[in-house]
Structures are given as structure tokens and as C-alpha cells.
Amino acid sequence: MALMPHIHQIPLSEATGLLKEEFDKALKRAGRIWHIVGIMSVNPKAMRDSMAFYRTIMMGESPLTRVQREMLAIVVSSENHCFY
């Protein structure tokens, strides 16, 4: 198994300000902090903007159904060996 690089993350227990707000939104959405969200903890503005972009892509108006968009995300992640 290949070694994974370490990415510093700010834990929920230490979050304040915008980061705490974004973590709270993530908990409300998913009931947990997913890894992809946690690795953005050192840049709360990027986290906020990335999540807004995600909502637009996955839930906004599109010729693709939500299921089709989720399937594309799964296939791309699998091909890129991303297991988050």
C-alpha cells in the first residue's frame, strides 16, 4: 500500500468563525465531516466557495439528472483512485 501524504486539518473542536459555520453546515447536510471537507479546513473561504460550486453542479439546473451526475462523480473518482 502506498503511503498517503499528510494534510494538516483543523478539527471541529478547534473550529471558530467561518470554519465553524461551514463545519456546522456540513454536519447538518451529512451528519458528519467528510474527508473532502476536512482537508479544506485550513482555508474556510475555499471550503465555502467549493461547497457552493458543488451544490450548483450537483443540484442546480442541468440536462443531467441527479443520479446521472452522481454516477459521473463516482466513475471519475474511481478512475482517479480517490476513495473519499
Side-chain angles (χ1 to χ4, degrees):
M1 177 177 212
L3 293 176
M4 296 296 293
H6 174 75
I7 299 173
H8 174 73
Q9 298 179 45
I10 299 170
L12 176 60
S13 62
E14 295 177 18
T16 60
L18 179 58
L19 178 58
K20 176 78 166 91
E21 291 173 25
E22 292 304 312
F23 273 163
D24 288 345
K25 289 178 192 175
L27 287 168
K28 185 176 180 181
R29 264 190 322 272
R32 62 175 286 188
I33 305 297
W34 289 99
H35 295 299
I36 190 68
V37 174
I39 63 171
M40 292 186 278
S41 63
V42 295
N43 192 336
K45 289 179 183 177
M47 180 191 295
R48 177 197 60 208
D49 296 346
S50 175
M51 296 312 299
F53 182 59
Y54 170 82
R55 283 189 301 276
T56 298
I57 289 172
M58 297 306 285
M59 298 167 205
E61 192 173 319
S62 173
L64 300 176
T65 67
R66 175 71 192 266
V67 171
Q68 289 170 320
R69 291 181 263 187
E70 290 288 351
M71 184 60 71
L72 284 168
I74 290 167
V75 169
V76 170
S77 292
S78 177
E79 283 297 309
N80 288 327
H81 303 288
C82 294
F83 301 103
Y84 54 83

